[in-house]
Amino acid sequence: MSEPASFEHFSPQLSLAAFPGVSYAKASALMQEPVAEPWLGRIGTREVQIVPQLCREQLTDEIVGELASTFPESQFRLHANVRVGERHLLRADISAARCHNDYFRELARVSKLLQAPAYTAHAGRREFSTFDEMIANALKLSDLFGCAVGVEGHYPTPHEPNAYHVDSWETYRALLESGVPYALDLSHLNIVAHYERKFEANLVGDMLACERCLEVHLSDNNGRADQHAVLETEPTWWSLLRHVHRGAVVFSEGNQLKQLRNTSA
């Protein structure tokens, strides 16, 4: 195995996507142990991304308080359709924001309680909005949250073609040119490259360097599905991380639970 590379201007931070299916209490316990990936090395907790994969458990004010008191040196932020109400809304994304006004108001309240510097969510499905309407929704959400709101792109889904906004190199370029902040998931781009049979390195470099890139998400996959695997060897896009601007937060989304199971097997 090759040795992990390092870049002085960033260190990978923890996304709770690393602990899918567990409770907030369990995730909190796991965060207090060293977290690392074979290729990335030690994962920091200076910035922590809260995600909906946490057992679909409701994020209450009490849990927010417990996280803040347990990890006073960590800055938490929300990502995507975190459950903050009685029901978990599967399609509460940016394209459908106008269909879920009450949900996003509550999510914004919790985000402010966390004093989060940013919020990111998936672009969402084409059936709920045009591309321009989706972009307008992101700008309105920024006003609601009182912080930058970033659009995260998708990838091709052969079983459901053209279902999602931002699922091709063409639409990622449109996102860059839209003027809104965004999150760039490099594992998603690995899937785009697989199905389009090309990797647009110049575009990816430009998107990483742009000051509107709020977050960079890292994990591995086979190019066909979003597997959230840990990085064990150098991925295709690794050298492009030199373009990441200093204001972006780089999050590791590799599944630590699967890695632990494989290690103990």
Side-chain angles (χ1 to χ4, degrees):
M1 181 183 299
S2 302
E3 290 297 319
S6 63
F7 294 97
E8 294 180 356
H9 63 290
F10 77 85
S11 59
Q13 300 297 303
L14 182 68
S15 167
L16 295 184
F19 310 129
V22 306
S23 65
Y24 281 102
K26 179 64 174 176
S28 179
L30 291 167
M31 280 179 62
Q32 295 177 63
E33 300 294 329
V35 180
E37 288 199 29
W39 181 256
L40 294 178
R42 184 70 178 265
I43 307 300
T45 55
R46 183 185 70 253
E47 301 271 357
V48 180
Q49 182 192 62
I50 298 175
V51 299
Q53 291 97 316
L54 289 173
C55 195
R56 306 289 190 255
E57 181 182 3
Q58 182 178 353
L59 179 61
T60 62
D61 290 6
E62 180 182 6
I63 292 174
V64 167
E66 290 172 352
L67 290 172
S69 62
T70 305
F71 304 99
E73 297 182 359
S74 297
Q75 172 65 73
F76 290 88
R77 66 175 68 188
L78 302 176
H79 174 61
N81 56 324
V82 173
R83 181 183 167 192
V84 291
E86 293 183 359
R87 296 186 300 119
H88 181 228
L89 302 179
L90 296 178
R91 293 188 176 180
D93 48 38
I94 293 177
S95 69
R98 289 178 293 181
C99 303
H100 303 289
N101 289 327
D102 290 344
Y103 167 77
F104 278 106
R105 278 195 290 269
E106 178 63 8
L107 196 67
R109 186 191 68 80
V110 175
S111 179
K112 291 173 183 176
L113 191 61
L114 289 164
Q115 298 182 355
Y119 166 69
T120 57
H122 300 103
R125 300 175 68 91
R126 299 173 192 266
E127 66 188 273
F128 296 114
S129 70
T130 66
F131 181 88
D132 289 343
E133 288 170 341
M134 182 270 293
I135 295 299
N137 287 348
L139 295 173
K140 291 177 182 177
L141 287 174
S142 181
D143 292 336
L144 178 64
F145 277 70
C147 65
V149 170
V151 176
E152 181 182 1
H154 297 268
Y155 46 85
T157 49
H159 64 286
E160 202 176 7
N162 299 316
Y164 295 94
H165 289 298
V166 194
D167 62 352
S168 65
W169 292 124
E170 179 183 4
T171 48
Y172 270 94
R173 185 173 298 281
L175 177 61
L176 174 62
E177 295 173 351
S178 71
V180 299
Y182 53 84
L184 198 63
D185 189 319
L186 294 176
S187 68
H188 290 184
L189 298 186
N190 190 51
I191 302 173
V192 174
H194 172 80
Y195 284 106
E196 295 200 12
R197 298 186 178 184
K198 60 180 179 179
F199 189 86
E200 295 280 4
N202 290 337
L203 172 60
V204 177
D206 288 344
M207 294 192 77
L208 292 171
C210 178
E211 64 181 9
R212 288 181 284 105
C213 181
L214 303 178
E215 300 170 1
V216 181
H217 300 173
L218 308 182
S219 64
D220 204 5
N221 60 51
N222 61 7
R224 296 180 176 85
D226 193 18
Q227 298 167 309
H228 281 254
V230 300
L231 287 161
E232 297 187 357
T233 57
E234 180 175 343
T236 303
W237 39 258
W238 182 257
S239 65
L240 295 174
L241 291 179
R242 70 185 184 275
H243 296 294
V244 175
H245 75 94
R246 295 181 181 274
V249 181
V250 179
F251 284 112
S252 164
E253 295 188 323
N255 188 332
Q256 292 286 323
L257 301 182
K258 185 175 181 180
Q259 180 179 232
L260 289 172
R261 287 194 297 270
N262 291 343
T263 301
S264 60

